[in-house]
Amino acid sequence: MKIISNELVGNSYSVHELVDAVEVSYRSLHEGEIIVPQRVFSKTVDGGDYLYGACTDLDKERYIVLGSAYMPWMERQGKPIVQGAYMYFSFRTGELLAVVAHEQLVNLRTGAKSAVAVRYLAHPGSSVLGLIGLGQQAVAGARAIASQVRLERIVGFSPNADNRKENLNKIKEQTGLDVEVLPLEAVIAEADILHVATFAKEPLFSFDDLHSGQLVISLAHSEEVSRDIVFNAKTFVDLAETAYTETGPVKFAIEDGFARSNIAGSLGELTAGTVSGRETADEIIYFQSLGVMNENLALVDHFYEQLKDTLPDVMFG
């Protein structure tokens, strides 16, 4: 068994390879080569919850199991509010191949998925990235998205200024661009691509605030963007079953009468070519990104294959 730490994950990757791995995993999910059971969220205490997830790759004969705790109180201590680990198995032999730390990998896989969405849904002339929320997800998202389009500017807004400076420095190191910190309204007005990653429980903006040709990517299991965006934009999701059942703007919109059939497609359908992405320059497109376990498996497998020959074996059992 190998132990793959957050430090190893953070220092051992090519962003293009991660984006490609996530794209292939969505195509495999659509084609039935990857199986993803529904994730389960269990409430804990003080607004926290616990996530149980799994994913199986039938072709590689491997699977992962994830346990991940959301602990909002940890923010006051300056510590990660989401922590967990992946167990990576061979289902042919039953061998536990690796235990992989969760924190860095979950940021990277979410950023990589945003980049895949940009490949299919962004206007090809997009040059301004707007970051609403400047936490770790913004760092990973900016780097991944910058690998897909020729960015000229990055503008950003954060409701929490305290944790901003370090992340702004990281984004500049990884993209070569300074983040211009602006009021929320200015970020929305100037961005071609909006990356929204906050812990907001109420909508930060609505459809009327958007402009022609924009792509909006939102990550939170909350209504951080208004459900009217789902009704009025061309809406895509990472996985339909997740969008129907897990808290987010699409689920809220469905509860308000939005027809499931009005979802334009999933990321699996986009990568498999069974639905079209952006079709006109002026479409406003919304992509809801809640997280699907195939993304995690894709990156766990990537890091395992890259690092296994350099790491010592740890005895288990």
Side-chain angles (χ1 to χ4, degrees), residues 73-88:
W73 55 87
M74 297 293 278
E75 186 174 21
R76 297 190 297 271
Q77 304 174 33
K79 297 179 180 179
I81 66 173
V82 179
Q83 297 184 43
Y86 304 93
M87 294 185 293
Y88 182 51

Side-chain angles (χ1 to χ4, degrees), residues 2-315:
K2 309 295 184 179
I3 301 292
I4 301 178
S5 66
N6 278 311
E7 182 179 7
L8 285 169
V9 169
N11 294 320
S12 307
Y13 70 93
S14 154
V15 65
H16 289 281
E17 290 178 355
L18 299 190
V19 176
D20 289 345
V22 169
E23 180 175 23
V24 169
S25 78
Y26 268 97
R27 190 177 306 120
S28 297
L29 176 65
H30 179 75
E31 293 171 353
E33 297 168 0
I34 289 178
I35 307 298
V36 178
Q38 187 66 47
R39 301 189 299 180
V40 176
F41 290 85
S42 177
K43 292 183 178 180
T44 54
V45 296
D46 299 331
D49 63 37
Y50 200 81
L51 163 64
Y52 304 87
C55 182
T56 300
D57 187 321
L58 298 175
D59 183 49
K60 293 184 177 178
E61 300 188 340
R62 294 176 178 177
Y63 69 96
I64 58 169
V65 177
L66 166 66
S68 172
Y70 169 59
M71 303 166 289
W73 55 87
M74 297 293 278
E75 186 174 21
R76 297 190 297 271
Q77 304 174 33
K79 297 179 180 179
I81 66 173
V82 179
Q83 297 184 43
Y86 304 93
M87 294 185 293
Y88 182 51
F89 294 89
S90 163
F91 70 67
R92 177 65 62 180
T93 67
E95 179 185 3
L96 176 59
L97 301 171
V99 175
V100 184
H102 171 269
E103 180 188 353
Q104 287 284 354
L105 193 143
V106 74
N107 290 330
L108 293 177
R109 61 90 170 163
T110 306
K113 177 172 59 175
S114 294
V116 176
V118 165
R119 284 181 174 176
Y120 291 88
L121 303 177
H123 186 291
S126 296
S127 62
V128 182
L129 172 62
L131 301 173
I132 299 177
L134 294 170
Q136 290 299 315
Q137 293 281 11
V139 177
R143 181 173 186 179
I145 291 169
S147 74
Q148 304 303 307
V149 292
R150 189 180 297 277
L151 293 179
E152 296 176 1
R153 296 174 62 207
I154 301 178
V155 294
F157 167 81
S158 174
N160 181 358
D162 294 337
N163 65 0
R164 198 164 62 192
K165 185 174 181 180
E166 180 181 357
N167 293 331
L168 295 181
N169 290 337
K170 288 180 181 178
I171 292 170
K172 182 176 182 179
E173 290 172 4
Q174 295 180 2
T175 67
L177 295 170
D178 284 304
V179 179
E180 304 168 46
V181 179
L182 303 174
L184 176 62
E185 295 78 9
V187 171
I188 296 169
E190 297 188 26
D192 301 310
I193 300 169
L194 279 174
H195 177 278
V196 190
T198 73
F199 294 104
K201 302 302 182 186
E202 300 293 333
L204 296 170
F205 57 92
S206 64
F207 183 79
D208 288 342
D209 298 314
L210 303 177
H211 61 73
S212 174
Q214 232 167 359
L215 168 62
V216 179
I217 302 170
S218 73
L219 277 60
H221 282 78
S222 67
E223 196 177 1
E224 63 178 0
V225 305
S226 173
R227 68 191 73 181
D228 80 328
I229 294 176
V230 179
F231 278 93
N232 294 290
K234 186 175 182 179
T235 294
F236 292 84
V237 297
D238 46 14
L239 183 66
E241 292 83 353
T242 299
Y244 302 155
T245 58
E246 294 187 9
T247 301
V250 170
K251 185 173 185 290
F252 288 124
I254 289 171
E255 291 170 354
D256 274 359
F258 179 77
R260 296 181 180 186
S261 59
N262 287 336
I263 294 174
S266 68
L267 203 53
E269 291 171 319
L270 283 168
T271 58
T274 60
V275 299
S276 298
R278 176 171 293 275
E279 296 177 290
T280 67
D282 60 353
E283 287 178 310
I284 297 175
I285 295 181
Y286 171 59
F287 177 67
Q288 178 178 275
S289 171
L290 295 185
V292 187
M293 288 296 298
N294 62 288
E295 307 156 17
N296 302 282
L297 178 57
L299 266 59
V300 166
D301 181 73
H302 175 82
F303 284 110
Y304 176 77
E305 293 297 336
Q306 182 168 326
L307 297 168
K308 65 181 180 181
D309 294 332
T310 67
L311 297 175
D313 287 314
V314 178
M315 297 301 296

